[in-house]
């Protein structure tokens, strides 16, 4: 690719990057997005979208018709031991009452197409290999980029793209943030999740199913793990089946997650077909960076969005809604900041971005950190799941808390309690 100057260089065109490029194009900001992949591309994910993500999709104006392969869900089916409970998504004025499932290959490709239709320039097969920094101030001045072929091999020579602002929207590994010296905080929660697909008669299930009991499988003394397994019907003849575990358990780091998934699937009814004959694709996994695990979200002309900023919800492992939210919040702030005549003004205006994230999510994520610690204790996890499943009214409130689905104004009593708890917990 040829050298290109843009006001904003966005590294990564997943949910965070593609959403930002769409919003910035609407605002008339000159921006260039690059992604090392070519769309559609596989992305390790559960493919589940709660009403929170659906609201972002609606706000962005992305069509999600069932004729185009989107499958709607009514709510969560929670499974604890032999008991199960179906909880419809709450009726709220600020959120739709349905969620969606769409494979990430198709979802991310649709996002990129949508952003382009709004004028965004997105170059595929272009990898960021490092940030260009001012030799004295360390400020981000752009990025060194290189084309990659379909198998990810670097081709051609390295080039430089200069920009006034660089956006790290390159996911959990974020080489952009790393090369800028912003690393994950090891004290923040992190999860590991693995998933695969099976051809299954459960593919059209209109509920997102979560199994709240995952056992480590140690002979004689099996312990409950902090996490859950999921079965999300894709509506295309397949189910996305996976599990995620938090780092607050003793076993974290020493578990064989793939073996755990295989063992869990083996225990399922045979007619669901979660067996190797019906498996479609490999078991793949990745980390879930939670609760603002990478900060600051803005420094010296570099802003962190989505997984690059550790924005996954520690309560439920959801990341797409927050990646899109960070883009929606950042876009007008970026457009305003670019009007500044110098870098001091730019920095001052860009501070509104981390402040907005902290205000919107900081308290809630701090609550999430307490939650992650508590459920790391198998006894607490067992008590919470067993007791909770027996009291549907309580579980309804818990689902609101876990999925961060409350009305901010004129909400039900439980909404006000959850919001107050989030407000009172000091933001990090
Ligand atoms: C197993 C698993 C299951 C999950 N299930 C769910 C779920 O059901 N629902 C949910 O909401 N969340 C889920 N998540 C979390 C969700 O996948 C992420 O939070 C979400 O993808 C974050 O979006 P993002 O745009 O920040 O990053 P990504 O989606 O990771 O996008 C980053 C993009 O940057 C590109 N990129 C990376 N490095 C470079 C580089 N050097 N140069 C150029 N481009 C680069 C990548 O190709 C990619 O396209 C799951 C995660 C895992 C691991």
């Amino acid at each position: 690719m040829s050298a290109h100057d843009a006001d904003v260089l966005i590294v990564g065109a997943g949910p965070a990057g593609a959403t930002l490029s769409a919003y910035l194009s609407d605002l008339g900001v000159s921006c260039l997005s690059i992604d090392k992949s070519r769309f559609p591309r596989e992305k390790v994910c559960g493919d589940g979208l709660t009403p929170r993500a659906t609201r972002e999709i609606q706000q962005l104006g992305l069509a999600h018709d069932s004729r185009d392969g989107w499958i709607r869900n009514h709510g969560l089916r929670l499974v604890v031991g032999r008991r199960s409970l179906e909880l419809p998504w709450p009726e709220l004025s600020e959120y739709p009452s349905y969620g969606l499932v769409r494979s990430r290959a198709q979802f991310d490709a649709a996002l990129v197409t949508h952003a382009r239709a709004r004028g965004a320039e997105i170059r595929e097969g272009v990898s960021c290999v490092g940030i260009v920094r001012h030799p004295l101030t360390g400020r981000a001045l752009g990025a060194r980029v290189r084309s990659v072929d379909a198998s990810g091999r670097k081709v051609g020579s390295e080039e430089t793209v200069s920009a006034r602002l660089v956006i790290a929207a390159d996911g959990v590994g974020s080489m952009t943030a790393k090369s800028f010296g912003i690393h994950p905080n090891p004290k923040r929660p992190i999860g590991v999740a693995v998933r695969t697909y099976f051809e299954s008669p459960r593919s059209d299930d209109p509920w997102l199913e979560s199994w709240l009991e995952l056992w480590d499988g140690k002979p004689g003394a099996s312990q409950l793990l902090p996490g859950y397994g999921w079965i999300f019907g894709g509506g295309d003849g397949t189910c996305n089946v996976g599990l995620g575990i938090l780092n607050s358990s003793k076993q974290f780091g020493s578990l064989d997650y793939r073996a755990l998934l295989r063992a869990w699937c083996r225990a399922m009814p045979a007619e669901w077909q979660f067996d190797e004959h019906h498996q479609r694709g490999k078991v793949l996994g990745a980390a879930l960076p939670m609760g603002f695990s990478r900060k600051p979200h803005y420094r010296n002309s570099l802003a962190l969005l989505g997984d690059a900023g550790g924005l996954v919800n520690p309560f439920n492992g959801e990341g797409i809604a927050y990646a899109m939210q960070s883009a929606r919040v950042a876009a007008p702030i970026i457009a305003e900041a670019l009007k500044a005549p110098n870098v001091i003004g730019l920095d001052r205006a860009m501070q509104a971005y981390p402040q907005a994230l902290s205000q919107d999510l900081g308290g809630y994520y701090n609550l999430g950190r307490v939650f992650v610690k508590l459920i790391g204790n198998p006894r607490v996890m067992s008590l919470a799941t067993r007791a909770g499943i027996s009291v549907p009214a309580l579980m309804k409130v818990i689902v609101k808390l876990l999925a961060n689905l409350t009305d901010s104004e004129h909400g039900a009593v439980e909404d006000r309690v959850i919001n107050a708890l989030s407000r009172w917990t000091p933001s990090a």
Side-chain angles (χ1 to χ4, degrees), residues 8-24 33 165-174 176-177 182 289 292 294-298 302-312 319-334 350 353-354 357:
V8 183
L9 172 66
I10 305 171
V11 181
T19 303
L20 181 67
S21 61
Y23 281 130
L24 286 181
S33 301
L165 275 175
V166 179
I167 309 295
D170 48 348
V172 56
S174 189
T176 311
I182 304 180
F292 290 169
R294 217 190 248 117
K295 280 176 92 172
H297 291 126
Y298 175 79
L302 181 85
L304 274 48
L305 268 66
D307 275 15
L311 258 60
V312 172
I320 297 166
Y322 300 95
M324 294 178 78
Q325 177 179 345
S326 63
R328 173 172 52 76
V329 167
I333 294 170
I334 290 171
M350 279 305 295
Y353 170 62
L357 282 187

Side-chain angles (χ1 to χ4, degrees), residues 114-347:
H114 180 78
R116 283 192 176 128
R118 286 161 79 151
E121 185 180 359
I122 299 176
R123 297 195 192 171
E124 300 172 39
V126 179
S127 179
C128 168
V129 293
I131 295 286
V132 179
R133 303 181 72 171
H134 189 283
L136 296 178
T137 63
R139 180 172 293 281
L141 301 173
R144 290 180 289 113
V145 304
R146 201 154 172 190
S147 295
V148 285
D149 65 17
S151 58
R153 254 196 322 263
K154 296 194 172 82
V155 290
S157 52
E158 208 173 279
E159 295 182 41
T160 298
V161 178
S162 64
R164 290 181 68 196
L165 275 175
V166 179
I167 309 295
D170 48 348
V172 56
S174 189
M175 87 85 54
T176 311
K178 220 183 279 171
S179 88
F180 205 68
I182 304 180
H183 299 287
N185 178 347
K187 292 196 177 136
R188 294 288 154 105
I190 189 156
V192 167
V194 291
R195 68 92 174 103
T196 189
Y197 294 93
F198 295 100
E199 224 169 81
S200 169
R202 299 203 50 193
S203 181
D204 293 324
D205 190 349
W207 297 86
L208 296 182
E209 188 165 295
S210 294
W211 289 53
L212 303 185
E213 285 191 340
L214 290 176
W215 299 90
D216 67 4
K218 271 211 191 106
S222 194
Q223 294 233 317
L224 206 52
L225 295 165
Y228 67 90
W230 70 80
I231 301 167
F232 296 164
D236 58 354
T238 69
C239 284
N240 182 317
V241 183
L243 54 85
I245 312 283
L246 293 161
N247 65 344
S248 54
S249 64
K250 273 202 308 256
Q251 302 92 326
F252 188 83
S254 62
L255 287 168
D256 180 344
Y257 299 95
R258 286 171 174 76
L260 206 61
L261 180 62
R262 275 195 300 273
W264 184 57
C265 288
R266 264 199 305 274
M268 300 285 174
E271 62 272 21
W272 294 357
Q273 301 181 174
F274 298 159
D275 53 52
E276 55 192 40
H277 302 295
H278 297 91
Q279 189 173 339
R280 299 292 167 260
K282 292 184 190 157
V283 176
L284 295 174
L288 295 164
M290 297 170 159
F292 290 169
S293 59
R294 217 190 248 117
K295 280 176 92 172
H297 291 126
Y298 175 79
R299 184 164 78 200
N300 255 354
S301 296
L302 181 85
L304 274 48
L305 268 66
D307 275 15
L311 258 60
V312 172
N313 180 349
F315 283 102
N316 67 354
E318 177 182 20
I320 297 166
Y322 300 95
M324 294 178 78
Q325 177 179 345
S326 63
R328 173 172 52 76
V329 167
I333 294 170
I334 290 171
E336 200 48 42
L338 288 169
K339 293 179 189 158
N342 53 38
V343 289
I344 296 167
L346 181 92
D347 281 349

